[in-house]
Amino acid sequence: MFEVIKFKSPVQFDTILAKYNDELQHIGSGSYADVYGTKIYILKSIRLMPQVLMNRIQSSTISRTTSYLDAFNEFQISWLLSKLQQKKFTVKNQTYGCQIFPKVICCYLLNDNNQIVKQKPPKTFSAIESIRFDIFDDFFLKVPRENLIIVMENGGRLLSDVIDQINSLALISILKQIIVGMMIAEFALEFEHRDLHSGNILVKDYKHATIKCQLNKKSILIPSHGYQVKLIDTTFSRLKYKDVVYFKDMTSLFENFDGEESGNKEKAKRKMQDFIYEQMAQTIKNDWSEFFPKTNVLWIKYVIYKLQKSLSNRIKMNRTDHRISSANEQNKRTLSNEMAAHRLMEEYNQIIDKCSSSYDFFRNIINRPSLNNLVPIMIL
């Protein structure tokens, strides 16, 4: 761990504060980490626990705690993906490049129990319920808490927060950026994200007309329509580099994902995200170290579902608005684009289940003009 983070020992709390605290704000907390940000940087603080201690303590919440090995693997995955931003990232004499993964700046091992910035006290019952169980406090463990801090570029806003404000052609661009980026990461690093819900997709304004990616000797150009995508959170991800596989064994998390045990009524109430987790678990079958690019296809399918849902809501609102008949040409053009984008998503849904990888899906789109006529990808 120390060889990777380039420190001889854990740093103290003041080291982080001195560099980032002027603008640092708490953004949110997940099952495994707390996230802080400035205008330029994102700091992900992963709460650590030795694997030996995790094995000894019997608690359902321990599965939501990160071992040092898993944290190390997560950092390695994020760092290697960020290397795809280099102009010439070469693996086995093949050159790859894409901007879809945020640049990792540095990493710290923090030897301190304090949080980086003070969070606001909860004001509602639901907020109180979301407060995490703290194994160190609840079991009175007299040992220092260590956190792994990953510092990376700020990739923008959550897609889940702004999806309904983004125009339909930009949504198609976002989807195609994800497809191409995942495809390149598959080729270069045998990468699987394994948790690409809309809360792990960031978008930010982009001033250039096209986004350029590199797949060996071919350049792939995607019209940006004003947005650039960044994919975050490699907690569950899998990657291979120089014959070393980095992954998280999630057997204990997915042992209850058994589609045969759920009745139809229960299934109907479940979210699409749960179905994707279930299909992913069925694909991997607890062989978490192996490469299953099909899981990337499953998560792209989820992204299509979210985009299509947003488009459906917009079209429904416009159709029920009696003023649409007298709307100006701009509004009519917007509705036309939304309907065309929605039809495209339906066509994607018809072929995606048959695809075995992001590349397979990409190839289907490129080889069928009707699937690439909106926001067309170009290969040079």
Side-chain angles (χ1 to χ4, degrees), residues 242-272:
K242 293 185 177 179
D243 296 325
V244 178
V245 177
Y246 303 96
F247 73 102
K248 179 181 177 67
D249 189 331
M250 295 186 287
T251 302
S252 61
L253 288 175
F254 286 88
E255 59 188 359
N256 294 322
F257 273 89
D258 187 349
E260 300 299 324
E261 295 181 1
S262 301
N264 291 331
K265 290 184 178 180
E266 183 181 347
K267 282 186 176 182
K269 296 179 181 178
R270 295 169 63 196
K271 295 180 179 180
M272 178 65 170

Side-chain angles (χ1 to χ4, degrees), residues 76-215:
Q76 286 288 79
I77 292 170
S78 297
W79 177 69
L80 287 165
L81 289 171
S82 78
K83 290 173 73 69
L84 287 170
Q85 291 200 25
Q86 298 175 1
K87 290 185 178 180
K88 291 185 178 181
F89 179 62
T90 303
V91 179
K92 295 181 179 179
N93 298 320
Q94 304 291 312
T95 303
Y96 305 96
C98 68
Q99 304 292 316
I100 202 168
F101 301 101
K103 182 179 180 180
V104 173
I105 311 300
C106 61
C107 183
Y108 300 94
L109 189 62
L110 179 66
N111 187 6
D112 202 301
N113 286 337
N114 294 313
Q115 292 180 323
I116 297 178
V117 292
K118 187 175 181 180
Q119 299 182 36
K120 295 180 180 179
K123 294 182 178 180
T124 64
F125 179 74
S126 60
I128 294 172
E129 278 191 316
S130 68
I131 296 176
R132 291 178 310 280
F133 170 91
D134 192 314
I135 194 72
F136 285 81
D137 293 340
D138 286 37
F139 285 112
F140 306 102
L141 300 177
K142 303 301 181 181
V143 293
R145 159 72 61 80
E146 291 184 339
N147 288 32
L148 185 70
I149 311 294
I150 302 176
V151 183
M152 64 193 79
E153 68 170 301
N154 191 330
R157 298 160 290 174
L158 294 175
L159 177 62
S160 56
D161 290 342
V162 298
I163 188 170
D164 293 329
Q165 288 94 54
I166 298 175
N167 72 73
S168 56
L169 296 181
L171 290 181
I172 297 173
S173 172
I174 288 168
L175 175 61
K176 290 187 175 182
Q177 289 179 53
I178 292 172
I179 294 168
V180 172
M182 296 286 273
M183 173 186 69
I184 290 172
E186 282 179 5
F187 270 105
L189 298 163
E190 291 190 4
F191 172 70
E192 296 173 61
H193 192 284
R194 295 181 174 176
D195 197 23
L196 194 60
H197 55 76
S198 53
N200 285 336
I201 302 171
L202 303 180
V203 293
K204 63 180 180 180
D205 296 337
Y206 191 68
K207 63 181 180 180
H208 302 291
T210 58
I211 292 173
K212 182 179 179 180
C213 302
Q214 193 73 28
L215 183 59

